[in-house]
Amino acid sequence: MNQIQTSPVQISRRNFMVGTSAMASGGLALGLNLLSTSEALAQSSDSTPEIGIWVVVKPDDTCVVRIVRSEMGQGTRTGLAQLVAEELECDWSKITTESPTPGQNLKRKRAWGDMSTGGSRGIRGSQDYVRRGGAVARIMLVQAAANEWNVPTSELTTANSVISHAASGRKTSYGKVAAAAAKLPVPDMKAVVLKDPRTWKIAGKSVKRLDTANKLNGKLIYGIDLKMDGMLCASVMDCPVFGGKLISFDDSKVKTLRGVKAVVRVDATTVAVVADTWWRAKNALDQLPIVWDEGPNAKVNSAMIADHVREGLTARGDYAGRKEGDAIYAVANAAKTVEAVYSSPFLSHTPMEPMNCTARWTSDKAEVWVPTQNAEASLAKLAETAGLPLEKCDVYVTDLGGAFGRKGGQQDYVAQAVNIAKQFPGTPIKMIWSREEDQSHDFYRPVSQCYMKAGLDNKGNLVGLTLRLSGQSINAWVNPSAIKDGKDERQLQGFWSQPGEAQLGYTFPNLLTEYAIRNTHVPVGPWRGVNTNQNGVYMECFMDEVARAAGKDPLVFRQALMQNHPKHLQVLNAAAEKGDWGKPAAPGVFRGIAQFMGYGAYSAAVAEVTVSPKGEVKLLRMVLATNAGHFVNPHQVAAQVEGGVVMGLSATYFGECTVENGRIKEKNFDTYQMLKMAQMPKVETVLVPTYDFWGGVGEPTICVVAPAVINAISAAIGKPLRNLPLKNSGLKFV
C-alpha cells in the first residue's frame, strides 16, 4: 500500500482513466487522499452525521459502514464491515452498509481510495485503513461523551455501541452523541493504535453474512434484475471472429416484430436490437440478417494455436525468469533425468450472471448501473464513451452474480451499453449479453504449454530443474507497458523468488525458469487464480513425477526441498496431517498432494480418489490448508475454499474453449460442461493463521485443486496425466 497522502490532488480526466486502467490490469493499490477536517465533517445523503469518512451513526444506534469494494459472492462486504465494527466496538446487530459511488469518491478527492476488487485484495488491500476508520470514529464518539460529561476520555470504555463511565455509573449510546462527535476534529488516522487480531471479538469470527437474507428472500438486486421507469432492453451480437468487423445488417426483416424499437450499430464490430423486453430483443437479433467481415483470423483453429504455442518451448532467445546456478549443465550431467510437457487450454469465466449494464445518457449527464469489479474503471470507460467530463458521469455498482476476473479491467460491456444509450437520449437502456455472447466474447484464461526437465543424482536427490513456459500474455492485452524488453514476469506467477505474493516454495540447487510469449488473436485476461492455477499444475504434477522417478514418497520428496520456506511447508504438513497422508488408505483409494502459493497466501491440498477398471473417477475427499495470515470470517473463508474446489474441478475435468474457424466453439453449458453436485467431494478446510501478514482468500487455493486431484488419479492408474482437461484422457467422472 502506498503511503497515505494528506494533501489534495488534482486529477485530470485523462490521468484518471490511465490510472484506473493500470490499476485494473496490474493490481496497483493507490494511496488514499484523505479529506481535510472540514471536508470530513460533511453530512451523509440523509443528513445523518458522518463520524470520519467510513462510519455514519444514526440516532437509533444504527452504524452504517461504507464499503467501496464490490460484492460478488466472496463476502467482502461482510468482512470489511467486521473490521470496521471491531475497531468501532459497535453493536454488530445494528450494522448496515452503503457504497459511495466513484463520482462521489472523485468529488471528495478520492477520500475512499481504490475502489477495485480483484487479485484477492478486497480485504487485504484495505484492511488497514478501514480499521483505522473504525478506530477514528470510536475515538470521536468517546471524545463527544467525555466533553458532555466533562471527564477524561481515559475513564471511558466502549462496548456494543455503548459508552460507559464506571466512576459515575453514567452510560450513553453512540446514537446520542453522534451529532456532537461529527463536529469534532478528525484524529490522525496514522497515529491510531489498532487492536491485536488475537483479541478480536467481531472480526475473526464466523458471523452471518450481511447479504444472505436478501439473497434468500429475493430482495437483492443484481445488475441483470434492474428495473427503471421507461427502460428499454438491448441484446447485442459482436463479430463471431475476434478481429473481424460488422459490415451491414438488414433491419427491415425484424423492425416490425413485436416490441422492437430499433436496430442499431453499437461500434465497429457489434450490432444491437433494442426492444421493450430483452427476450424480444434477442429473438429479433437471432433473426437479423448480418454481414460480417471475419478478417484474417477466420481460418484459425485450436491445432494451429497449439503448434504456435509449442514452438515457444524450443525457440531460442532471451526470456524472462530465474537463473540460479547452471541448471542446464546440472540436468544434462545428472545420473537420471525426468522430462514432461504439460498443457492447459483457454477457459471462459462463465459467471452465473452474464455481462450486463444499464446506461442512461443525455448531453450533460451519463450514468450506468453495473455489476463491476472496478467502479473507477467503469467510470473512466463511461466518461470516455459518453464524451463527457468525469464530473458529469457516475457509476452505481450492483451486486455481482459472479465475476472471477471478467468484470474488472475489461469494461467492454460498459462501453457497449453507453454507445446504445447515446442513440436513445434520456432513456435507460439495459443491455444483457446472452450466454452464447458471453461465452463467445470473453477475455479467456490464456492457453499455455510447459516443458520441464529435472536431474537426479545416484541417491535420488534433485540436482537441477529447468522450466520453459510458452503461451499467451495477459499483459499483452490489458497492460502492455508491464512487458519489459519482450519479457513478462506475470505469466510466471508462483515461480517467483520474491516472497510475499507468489513465491516458489522450493529451493533447488540449480534452477532455470523461462517464458516465451506466444500470443494469438483470442483475447485473454485474469481468470480466478490467473496464472497460478496453470503453473501450480505444471510444477506440482512434475514434482510427483520426479518423486516417483527418485523412488521417494511425494510428501517426503517435497519436504526436503522446502526447508527454506517454512510457511509453504507449514500448510503442506497441515494438509498432509488432516488428509491422513502416510496412513493406509482404504482398498482402491489413492491419494495425491500439492502445495503452491498465489495472491499472498500459502495453500496445500490432499485428494482421495478411486478409479474403476473402466476409467470412472470418483473424487471422495479433499483437504485444503491455507495460511492467509489473518482470517476475518473463518466460515466465509471455508466457503471460498469450497467454491474454489467446484471451479477448479470443473476446469480440471471438463473446462476447454476450442477455436474453430477463428471463433470459440463452446457457446453454452451443453458443450462447456460444469461440475455436477454428485461429482462434488467432501471438502475439509484447515486454517493455519500466523497473524504476521495479510494474504488473499478468494483465489489462492484454486491452484492446488487440480494438481492434487491429478496426482491422485495418476497414482491410481500408474501413469502421469499432463494435458487438461482430463475428459480428453478417456476418463469419466462420477
Side-chain angles (χ1 to χ4, degrees):
M1 191 71 182
N2 292 351
Q3 185 176 3
I4 292 176
Q5 303 171 1
T6 55
S7 57
V9 177
Q10 298 298 320
I11 304 177
S12 70
R13 177 170 177 264
R14 180 184 182 278
N15 287 340
F16 178 79
M17 291 178 178
V18 171
T20 53
S21 175
M23 176 175 59
S25 59
L28 175 64
L30 303 181
L32 291 182
N33 172 32
L34 296 178
L35 299 176
S36 66
T37 299
S38 61
E39 290 171 314
L41 300 183
Q43 304 294 297
S44 65
S45 58
D46 64 353
S47 299
T48 304
E50 285 186 346
I51 317 297
I53 62 171
W54 294 100
V55 177
V56 173
V57 179
K58 296 185 177 182
D60 65 356
D61 294 333
T62 296
C63 292
V64 183
V65 176
R66 286 176 172 150
I67 306 294
V68 298
R69 305 289 184 171
S70 297
E71 180 56 66
M72 46 192 162
Q74 81 282 37
T76 294
R77 179 184 296 128
T78 301
L80 290 175
Q82 284 180 260
L83 289 172
V84 174
E86 181 63 50
E87 295 291 342
L88 181 59
E89 295 189 357
C90 63
D91 183 348
W92 177 254
S93 69
K94 293 186 177 181
I95 281 284
T96 63
T97 64
E98 67 179 20
S99 298
T101 69
Q104 292 168 337
N105 195 31
L106 194 60
K107 287 177 182 177
R108 297 178 66 167
K109 302 178 179 64
R110 300 193 74 241
W112 293 285
D114 175 12
M115 302 184 78
S116 68
T117 310
S120 294
R121 294 183 179 90
I123 287 179
R124 66 176 171 134
S126 50
Q127 56 81 22
D128 183 74
Y129 58 78
V130 300
R131 290 160 68 200
R132 293 181 185 279
V136 161
R138 174 177 47 80
I139 291 170
M140 294 170 70
L141 290 161
V142 169
Q143 186 64 61
N147 292 348
E148 180 180 333
W149 294 335
N150 195 26
V151 298
T153 57
S154 60
E155 295 182 5
L156 302 183
T157 59
T158 55
N160 293 322
S161 298
V162 174
I163 304 170
S164 301
H165 184 235
S168 65
R170 285 177 291 188
K171 293 185 178 182
T172 190
S173 69
Y174 284 1
K176 292 178 181 178
V177 297
K183 298 175 183 178
L184 297 174
V186 179
D188 182 2
M189 287 180 66
K190 293 183 291 184
V192 171
V193 177
L194 298 174
K195 293 181 180 181
D196 183 341
R198 293 176 178 83
T199 68
W200 283 347
K201 297 177 182 178
I202 299 174
K205 308 301 179 184
S206 296
V207 303
K208 295 179 180 179
R209 284 180 52 161
L210 298 175
D211 55 355
T212 300
N214 284 344
K215 286 182 176 179
L216 295 175
N217 62 29
K219 290 183 179 179
L220 189 65
I221 302 298
Y222 294 95
I224 201 170
D225 301 322
L226 191 69
K227 295 180 180 179
M228 301 176 67
D229 291 341
M231 184 176 73
L232 296 177
C233 297
S235 182
V236 299
M237 186 178 294
D238 203 341
C239 182
V241 177
F242 307 109
K245 297 179 181 180
L246 171 64
I247 298 299
S248 63
F249 52 85
D250 183 2
D251 64 353
S252 66
K253 303 292 185 180
V254 302
K255 65 182 181 180
T256 59
L257 294 177
R258 184 181 179 188
V260 172
K261 304 299 181 182
V263 182
V264 300
R265 179 183 290 267
V266 180
D267 51 39
T269 67
T270 313
V271 62
V273 174
V274 179
D276 57 355
T277 70
W278 183 80
W279 184 252
R280 288 171 180 168
K282 181 185 182 299
N283 180 58
L285 185 61
D286 289 342
Q287 301 178 55
L288 181 69
I290 306 172
V291 178
W292 306 105
D293 174 4
E294 295 187 348
N297 302 314
K299 295 182 180 180
V300 175
N301 59 41
S302 289
M304 296 165 63
I305 291 174
D307 289 343
H308 176 56
V309 173
R310 190 177 301 111
E311 180 273 332
L313 297 179
T314 56
R316 295 180 179 273
D318 186 19
Y319 300 100
R322 299 169 62 179
K323 186 175 183 180
E324 299 166 6
D326 192 340
I328 294 177
Y329 177 85
V331 173
N333 290 276
K336 187 175 186 178
T337 59
V338 184
E339 59 184 327
V341 176
Y342 299 89
S343 68
S344 295
F346 292 116
L347 292 180
S348 61
H349 292 81
T350 57
M352 182 65 70
E353 176 192 37
M355 302 304 106
N356 69 91
C357 178
T358 298
R360 182 167 59 196
W361 181 92
T362 66
S363 60
D364 62 357
K365 187 174 181 62
E367 302 166 288
V368 295
W369 292 258
V370 60
T372 177
Q373 291 181 247
N374 191 329
E376 291 183 299
S378 296
L379 179 63
K381 180 60 69 174
L382 168 61
E384 178 184 38
T385 311
L388 294 171
L390 287 167
E391 58 268 21
K392 291 190 175 183
C393 301
D394 214 344
V395 174
Y396 309 98
V397 180
T398 65
D399 277 45
L400 289 69
F404 314 116
R406 176 59 178 92
K407 299 173 182 176
Q410 296 82 14
Q411 297 289 321
D412 50 331
Y413 58 109
V414 172
Q416 287 182 347
V418 176
N419 274 330
I420 298 170
K422 287 171 69 176
Q423 301 178 61
F424 296 83
T427 300
I429 303 293
K430 180 163 72 171
M431 181 211 68
I432 304 174
W433 287 18
S434 65
R435 178 59 62 189
E436 290 77 11
E437 191 71 12
D438 201 69
Q439 282 285 112
S440 300
H441 291 91
D442 204 345
F443 286 80
Y444 304 85
R445 189 188 79 169
V447 64
S448 66
Q449 297 180 30
C450 187
Y451 170 67
M452 302 184 73
K453 189 171 184 180
L456 297 167
D457 65 16
N458 288 324
K459 296 182 180 180
N461 298 312
L462 193 147
V463 297
L465 186 145
T466 64
L467 178 155
R468 168 69 74 87
L469 185 68
S470 177
Q472 282 201 248
S473 162
I474 291 174
N475 279 334
W477 281 91
V478 302
N479 192 21
S481 63
I483 301 176
K484 307 296 184 183
D485 301 322
K487 300 178 180 180
D488 185 3
E489 289 280 0
R490 183 177 188 176
Q491 298 304 119
L492 292 169
Q493 282 176 294
F495 302 146
W496 297 345
S497 61
Q498 305 92 333
E501 187 67 18
Q503 183 186 31
L504 180 63
Y506 303 112
T507 298
F508 298 121
N510 298 279
L511 174 66
L512 177 65
T513 66
E514 300 175 297
Y515 169 54
I517 298 176
R518 290 298 181 270
N519 291 324
T520 77
H521 75 297
V522 179
V524 296
W527 185 98
R528 187 177 184 179
V530 196
N531 302 302
T532 61
N533 61 67
Q534 303 104 300
N535 293 344
V537 170
Y538 302 152
M539 179 58 70
E540 289 303 291
C541 289
F542 190 61
M543 290 298 288
D544 255 38
E545 290 199 44
V546 178
R548 284 195 293 272
K552 296 183 178 181
D553 175 84
L555 172 62
V556 175
F557 184 76
R558 286 173 169 84
Q559 289 170 331
L561 297 166
M562 297 175 68
Q563 298 306 310
N564 296 330
H565 304 276
K567 286 189 169 67
H568 291 81
L569 183 58
Q570 180 187 39
V571 296
L572 178 66
N573 288 339
E577 181 179 0
K578 183 69 173 178
D580 299 320
W581 194 272
K583 297 180 181 179
V589 175
F590 294 83
R591 296 187 180 117
I593 196 167
Q595 70 81 29
F596 213 60
M597 183 188 186
Y599 296 91
Y602 305 82
S603 302
V606 171
E608 292 184 346
V609 306
T610 62
V611 182
S612 76
K614 295 181 179 180
E616 296 171 324
V617 176
K618 179 66 177 179
L619 179 57
L620 306 173
R621 178 190 182 209
M622 289 207 73
V623 174
L624 292 100
T626 181
N627 179 11
H630 301 82
F631 296 109
V632 175
N633 190 322
H635 179 76
Q636 188 54 37
V637 173
Q640 282 293 288
V641 170
E642 291 160 8
V645 170
V646 175
M647 195 166 182
L649 290 178
S650 290
T652 304
Y653 292 170
F654 313 114
E656 181 180 33
C657 288
T658 58
V659 178
E660 185 176 81
N661 296 323
R663 66 203 76 199
I664 296 298
K665 186 177 179 181
E666 293 77 16
K667 296 183 180 299
N668 211 317
F669 293 126
D670 57 335
T671 51
Y672 195 79
Q673 190 175 346
M674 296 283 114
L675 192 76
K676 295 180 174 63
M677 291 183 67
Q679 296 163 329
M680 182 68 182
K682 176 184 179 182
V683 178
E684 300 170 51
T685 301
V686 182
L687 304 184
V688 191
T690 51
Y691 303 104
D692 57 342
F693 71 100
W694 285 83
V697 169
E699 293 170 279
T701 55
I702 197 172
C703 68
V704 293
V705 173
V709 172
I710 293 171
N711 288 339
I713 298 173
S714 295
I717 64 177
K719 63 179 181 180
L721 296 167
R722 297 170 176 167
N723 303 304
L724 292 175
L726 296 184
K727 69 176 184 180
N728 296 333
S729 300
L731 298 171
K732 298 179 181 179
F733 306 94
V734 297

